Amino acid sequence: MSYDTVVVGAGILGCALAHRLAATGRRVALLDRGMVGSGCSARAGAIASPLVRDDRLRAMSARSRQWYAEYRLRRPGAPLRSLPALFLCAADRQDALRERCAEPLCPAPDTALPEWVNRTGATVLLGGPRALHGQVADLCRALIAEPAVDVYECTPVDRWSGGNGGFVVELADGRGLDVPELVLAKGAWLESEDLPPGWEPPRTKKIVSYVLALPASPADPLVHLADHEAFLLPRPERGEWWLSITSPDWGILPQDGPAAGPGDLRIARAVLERYAPHALSALRGSSVHCDSYSPGGGPEVVAAPGRPLVVHGGSGSGFRYAPAAAEAALDALGAFAVRPAGTGRTT
Ligand SMILES: Cc1cc2nc3c(=O)[nH]c(=O)nc-3n(C[C@H](O)[C@H](O)[C@H](O)COP(=O)(O)OP(=O)(O)OC[C@H]3O[C@@H](n4cnc5c(N)ncnc54)[C@H](O)[C@@H]3O)c2cc1C
């Protein structure tokens, strides 16, 4: 079989890119050491939040939201839904929150909150643009259901070699793929040697969401707890809520078997004690993985002549920025690839 491009890693970044590569007329092999969407993407209770921290991410966020909106129109059954978003924050921090929000925020009535969430003392409640929730593992599969994409699951890539004339990708079962374009979208599995010389090794961090056994309906809002970088997400499709917290644990790798630790539980309990004490008894298990984090705080495309293109740095927001990251990767492939179309082959 001949391919124009091999993409290693079928998480949301690899799948979004494979989808776009197929639309350019390329024949794509998408390889994953596990199943499609089985890495960090499998564990995400992911939202595309309207909060951004700088102009680059603001532009990536806006582009991605637009792309997802268009995709939903093309594929009405896509595992994406929009939901109302509310923001709780301390009164003296609301100006900073408004600045971080991509669209204007305005006061919201307390009745908009689920009855088990409190607006405590000095906290203001704001409403704003709707948020987008994606069932990321399902979205990965939907994106790559393209005739031009061949998927190889449970196919670890042991190593790659090559450069300006093309690449050889060695699979664990001894096969080799000879291909003009190679993209590495390995998430937290990315290694230093995948990056061009001189690049900092990728940093990784744990991401944790706790499950709350509370009934959720499609009309329930997402509640951002902005002072804690946390949010409450209704998951009506699972009949529960998720409390997403910011875990402080850096340096966690997939092979460590990431799990919520006592520090994560302390944070989750403190957030609930403040905003939803009645939900403490509904605290159940968690959904945890680690992600690769870029210095800039969002997906990063690393392109250098004679090297595989690297797309990484979901930075806890890989779903949110995946369409914009895929576009940046396509641009970079245009700039760097040696692409005599269709000469890649399997040996
Ligand atoms: C609990 C939780 C909540 C989250 N909430 C949000 C949110 O609200 N919004 C948001 O945008 N994001 C959120 N995220 C983060 C988001 O899920 C990640 O940023 C995103 O999934 C990263 O995608 P990825 O494709 O880079 O990595 P992954 O999904 O990890 O994919 C990488 C893939 O590469 C494969 N791979 C690695 N090495 C090899 C190899 N040698 N050979 C073959 N295959 C290989 C792996 O098997 C894996 O499938 C959350 C994550 C978690 C865990």
Side-chain angles (χ1 to χ4, degrees):
M1 183 56 79
S2 290
Y3 297 107
D4 300 302
T5 313
V6 166
V7 178
V8 181
I12 189 64
L13 294 186
C15 290
L17 178 57
H19 179 88
R20 301 296 293 273
L21 285 166
T24 68
R26 287 166 169 91
R27 184 139 195 92
V28 180
L30 176 64
L31 317 179
D32 202 287
R33 63 185 305 134
M35 307 298 281
V36 168
S38 62
C40 189
S41 300
R43 307 295 172 91
I47 56 154
S49 150
L51 299 181
V52 285
R53 77 178 208 207
D54 62 31
D55 287 346
R56 183 184 80 95
L57 293 178
R58 187 177 293 265
M60 286 181 79
S61 175
R63 178 64 197 117
S64 295
R65 282 172 79 98
Q66 183 194 353
W67 192 88
Y68 279 133
E70 290 163 7
Y71 181 71
R72 284 177 78 195
L73 287 178
R74 288 199 306 276
R75 310 277 166 92
L80 293 162
R81 72 186 177 103
S82 80
L83 71 170
L86 296 171
F87 299 80
L88 279 168
C89 84
D92 59 357
R93 294 200 198 145
Q94 62 174 308
D95 289 345
L97 176 67
R98 286 175 193 276
E99 269 171 36
R100 282 177 63 204
C101 193
E103 291 174 47
L105 293 172
C106 50
D110 284 9
T111 49
L113 283 172
E115 42 87 24
W116 48 273
V117 179
N118 294 333
R119 180 155 83 84
T120 48
T123 303
V124 292
L125 176 63
L126 301 170
R130 289 174 75 82
L132 187 69
H133 169 217
Q135 294 173 46
V136 184
D138 294 340
L139 181 61
C140 287
R141 283 211 177 268
L143 286 169
I144 57 169
E146 298 287 338
V149 179
D150 278 357
V151 180
Y152 293 69
E153 295 186 306
C154 298
T155 305
V157 169
D158 276 354
R159 63 188 66 81
W160 58 267
S161 57
N164 283 321
F167 299 90
V168 177
V169 182
E170 294 178 45
L171 313 186
D173 63 8
R175 277 180 289 180
L177 292 173
D178 194 352
V179 73
E181 285 179 343
L182 174 60
V183 180
L184 306 177
K186 293 164 59 176
W189 284 264
L190 192 71
E191 294 163 278
S192 301
E193 47 270 37
D194 292 326
L195 290 161
W199 280 79
E200 288 289 311
R203 298 183 77 201
T204 58
K205 194 170 90 66
K206 194 164 72 174
I207 311 177
V208 178
S209 290
Y210 270 97
V211 173
L212 299 175
L214 293 167
S217 95
D220 284 328
L222 170 75
V223 184
H224 281 273
L225 307 169
D227 301 333
H228 303 268
E229 299 296 336
F231 59 81
L232 290 159
L233 172 66
R235 307 278 318 252
E237 78 286 1
R238 294 172 60 110
E240 61 197 23
W241 283 69
W242 281 22
L243 166 64
S244 182
I245 60 159
T246 297
S247 174
D249 293 344
W250 287 91
I252 308 291
L253 296 169
Q255 47 272 33
D256 298 333
D264 300 312
L265 181 60
R266 259 195 307 279
I267 293 171
R269 282 193 171 138
V271 168
L272 290 179
E273 270 156 19
R274 173 149 180 209
Y275 295 102
H278 295 304
L280 276 163
S281 61
L283 198 57
R284 297 289 186 270
S286 54
S287 185
V288 182
H289 209 277
C290 52
D291 204 358
S292 127
Y293 277 70
S294 73
E300 178 175 76
V301 174
V302 181
R307 302 284 306 184
L309 190 80
V310 176
V311 187
H312 83 115
S315 309
S317 298
F319 158 70
R320 174 185 186 178
Y321 297 120
E327 262 170 31
L330 275 187
D331 285 351
L333 282 173
F336 285 104
V338 176
R339 220 178 73 74
T343 54
R345 62 193 161 75
T346 317
T347 54

